Amino acid sequence: MDLSCNNLMRILLKSLLDKYVTDVRGSVAVIFSFAAVALFGVLGLTVDYALWTGQRAKLQSAADAAALASATEGPIHSWNSEKLTAIATEFAKNNLATAGKSGPISRLEVTVAGNAKSVTVRLQQTGQSYFTQAFLSKKTQIEVSARATLHGEASICVLALDPAVSRALSLDGVSAIQGDNCAVLSNSNSSSGLSADLAARLKSGMTCTSGGYRGLPVAFNPTPLADCPVTPDPLMQRAMMDTGVCLKTDFVIDGGYQRLIPGTYCGTTRAINGASLQLSSGIYTFTDGHLEIAAGAELVGNNVSLQFKGPNAGFKFDQDTKISLTAPSDGASAGILLHADKQPSDSRPFHIMSADAELLIGVIYLPTGQIVIGGDINLDGVCDLLNGIIPSSCKTNVGQKSHWTAIIANIVTTTTGANVILNTDFATSDIPAPEGIGGKVVLEY
């Protein structure tokens, strides 16, 4: 039924006229009654039209969320119509339930077009009414549709690879991850493979865990999907580049300015006391030691890929530092920013605690490692609050100025004070996302 205000007004007035114009006695009482009823009808129409407008907005939001979530998972499920329909249905119902009472869905139709990599969701509800249904022969039906199309391949912003450990993807304390229009995934089959504390927030285009999840509904937007299939590591075939023999061993930059050239750096490489460490474009390997940026130092490099090899290799970017890195735009390491080799039972440190790591463009790839994002002076995994307030030493900012960032690691953990923004603006970046990482799901009405 057409919901335009003019058409509804015309139907209402016709109904009123049919009921009252046959009385031709012309008494004042009848005229007054007619005017009062007409006024009442106009007011009633106004109220109901406002209800329908709000109901349509909620219904459209539910269709949008369902189409986006389903299309995002398209590559994961090989565009299987049955599975993607189930995902869209769950998202639509959950979204409406979260939006508040709006009545049951009278029709839900999902169309999956695998060749076009798109999902179309159509929803219909009976319009809520306080007044006008008394005058209308048919109940008002509100119908919306949304089509989401995947451009490129699957868009992954976080993937925790460990299939067995609990809390493979964990948001601890007051921390946040935001990944709009992309997938946040945990391969853990544990009942708490995805975990979020009370004050933590996880926002994504779609969140999926192979096991279960732990956390209050308020922690997640949207509600995670459980029992999802394992997502294969899209970078598992990526090999590290050979960067030759050691250029320096246990190299310390204590204040001042230092420019490094691509190559291999052995032992621990440290920048401290306000040092400015500049990386020329190319590939760097840090072997058998840490890359440590501390005490007010900064690390800057464009078109660089940092490799970490050996049982003692890792990185630690302290809270009072500035980290600004972009991955190569071409070559074998295009799109790979931080890359650790595979070590069994990995306990190497991969810590980002910097308050200014807002420019990190590329993939952080730690296939057997745990990345911990968040400030923590004594590295005990817990931010030490001051009278219940998050101190500046715990505040970590990652990705805010990046066109895109993705994290693939065995275990992913954020701690109190961490604010992680994982953008997916691939089209605006000259740094390509590796195959299996960079796609974009867009709504097309």
Side-chain angles (χ1 to χ4, degrees):
M1 179 171 291
D2 192 342
L3 292 180
S4 71
C5 192
N6 288 338
N7 285 337
L8 288 171
M9 184 68 75
R10 189 178 299 113
I11 294 170
L12 178 61
L13 291 178
K14 183 179 183 302
S15 177
L16 291 171
L17 287 170
D18 289 343
K19 291 184 178 183
Y20 289 100
V21 297
T22 55
D23 189 344
V24 295
R25 290 174 293 178
S27 68
V28 173
V30 171
I31 296 173
F32 180 80
S33 176
F34 176 81
V37 172
L39 178 61
F40 179 78
V42 171
L43 292 175
L45 176 62
T46 301
V47 171
D48 282 358
Y49 191 75
L51 283 174
W52 293 332
T53 300
Q55 191 176 354
R56 173 182 283 276
K58 292 180 181 179
L59 200 63
Q60 187 66 63
S61 178
D64 292 349
L68 285 169
S70 188
T72 300
E73 278 217 48
I76 298 172
H77 296 285
S78 300
W79 297 98
N80 180 280
S81 180
E82 182 179 352
K83 291 181 179 179
L84 296 184
T85 296
I87 291 169
T89 300
E90 182 176 352
F91 263 79
K93 291 180 177 179
N94 287 343
N95 191 277
L96 282 175
T98 303
K101 185 177 180 181
S102 59
I105 299 173
S106 56
R107 189 178 76 170
L108 193 159
E109 180 181 309
V110 180
T111 303
V112 178
N115 292 337
K117 295 192 285 190
S118 71
V119 176
T120 301
V121 177
R122 294 180 178 85
L123 301 178
Q124 187 181 82
Q125 277 187 329
T126 299
Q128 296 174 313
S129 174
Y130 287 117
F131 299 99
T132 54
Q133 289 303 154
F135 303 103
L136 301 177
S137 58
K138 294 183 180 180
K139 291 185 177 181
T140 301
Q141 296 298 314
I142 301 173
E143 184 172 326
V144 300
S145 67
R147 182 177 67 186
T149 301
L150 174 63
H151 297 273
E153 299 301 322
S155 181
I156 296 174
C157 48
V158 177
L159 173 56
L161 295 168
D162 197 303
V165 69
S166 64
R167 299 169 64 86
L169 173 54
S170 176
L171 286 79
D172 300 338
V174 186
S175 63
I177 296 177
Q178 179 175 329
D180 294 330
N181 300 321
C182 61
V184 173
L185 309 168
S186 170
N187 281 347
S188 173
N189 57 25
S190 167
S191 60
S192 57
L194 167 63
S195 176
D197 285 352
L198 177 63
R201 296 293 181 267
L202 172 58
K203 185 176 185 294
S204 69
M206 183 271 295
T207 300
C208 203
T209 174
S210 298
Y213 64 90
R214 189 186 72 179
L216 295 178
V218 70
F220 303 104
N221 181 16
T223 301
L225 298 173
D227 300 319
C228 296
V230 169
T231 301
D233 179 355
L235 302 179
M236 64 183 306
Q237 302 301 326
R238 287 288 183 126
M240 286 192 164
M241 301 296 104
D242 184 359
T243 55
V245 299
C246 293
L247 297 178
K248 292 182 180 296
T249 300
D250 292 330
F251 185 44
V252 178
I253 304 97
D254 189 352
Y257 173 87
Q258 178 72 49
R259 177 176 288 275
L260 297 188
I261 61 173
T264 300
Y265 294 81
C266 297
T268 296
T269 300
R270 302 179 69 218
I272 58 175
N273 295 330
S276 178
L277 180 56
Q278 305 285 318
L279 303 181
S280 300
S281 298
I283 301 173
Y284 295 76
T285 300
F286 298 91
T287 182
D288 294 325
H290 304 164
L291 170 62
E292 182 176 345
I293 311 300
E298 69 172 357
L299 174 66
V300 178
N302 293 321
N303 292 307
V304 298
S305 183
L306 279 57
Q307 302 181 149
F308 300 88
K309 298 178 68 174
N312 298 313
F315 57 78
K316 185 163 75 76
F317 306 146
D318 280 357
Q319 200 276 336
D320 58 348
T321 62
K322 177 179 179 179
I323 310 299
S324 178
L325 300 170
T326 67
S329 58
D330 54 23
S333 295
I336 306 295
L337 184 61
L338 304 173
H339 183 184
D341 65 353
K342 297 177 181 179
Q343 293 287 327
S345 303
D346 199 330
S347 60
R348 296 176 291 178
F350 300 103
H351 295 289
I352 299 179
M353 298 178 280
S354 174
D356 186 359
E358 298 182 348
L359 187 63
L360 292 177
I361 301 179
V363 180
I364 300 172
Y365 181 46
L366 315 173
T368 61
Q370 177 182 12
I371 185 169
V372 179
I373 302 175
D376 177 18
I377 293 176
N378 56 10
L379 297 180
D380 64 356
V382 179
C383 173
D384 300 310
L385 301 181
L386 298 176
N387 298 319
I389 299 174
I390 301 174
S392 59
S393 60
C394 289
K395 293 181 179 179
T396 299
N397 295 303
V398 172
Q400 284 77 3
K401 297 178 181 178
S402 304
H403 293 298
W404 66 273
T405 310
I407 299 172
I408 298 178
N410 197 47
I411 299 173
V412 179
T413 302
T414 60
T415 66
T416 290
N419 182 27
V420 182
I421 305 294
L422 302 175
N423 294 313
T424 55
D425 297 329
F426 302 110
T428 61
S429 176
D430 61 354
I431 299 170
E435 184 177 354
I437 298 291
K440 188 174 183 62
V441 179
V442 298
L443 286 169
E444 300 171 341
Y445 295 102

